[in-house]
Amino acid sequence: MILREVADGPAVVACNTCRFSAEARDDADGMRGGARLVEALRAVQAEPGYAGVAVQEMPCLFACQDFCTVHLRAPGKVGYVLGRFAPSADAARAILDYAKLYAESDAGQVAYGSWPAGVKGHFLTRTPPAGFVVE
């Protein structure tokens, strides 16, 4: 089967096979950037205050040009794909700080003034939830 069931709730789904950067597929240790970003997301998610957003991973979100991509999703909310992140603790914290605000929102929209600086300029797409389009 191609699909694996995961908990249904607010989640950051990270591509674990993403390139390390625009120039390099792997880091100096031979590890993909996506795998490094997953590690960083899990480390931050283990801290107090982040339990409300799951960190999930899968191979290839098909956003290869934009390396280190994540899909932010929750039932009944607009979803977002973000990319071009460095696989770092700072990026992971910005992603999860935004994800917390996203999880608390009614429909997935977070006021721009509340966005952590680390996610600005990283949004690639937004996707409507099943059965809806954005007005």
Side-chain angles (χ1 to χ4, degrees), residues 47-98:
E47 297 174 9
Y50 293 100
V53 178
V55 172
Q56 301 165 347
E57 63 181 293
M58 63 178 265
C60 204
L61 288 173
F62 282 30
C64 302
Q65 266 187 293
D66 295 302
F67 62 92
C68 288
T69 56
V70 298
H71 178 212
L72 185 57
R73 66 181 184 177
K77 296 185 183 199
V78 171
Y80 299 96
V81 175
L82 296 86
R84 296 182 305 272
F85 288 105
S88 68
D90 288 341
R93 186 167 311 284
I95 292 165
L96 287 169
D97 284 344
Y98 182 85

Side-chain angles (χ1 to χ4, degrees), residues 3 7 14-15 26 28 31 33 38 41 50 63 67 76 88-89 94 99 102-103 113 119 122 132:
L3 298 175
C15 173
D26 302 318
M31 194 164 180
V38 168
L41 286 164
Y50 293 100
F67 62 92
S88 68
Y102 169 84
V119 299
H122 290 273
F132 294 90

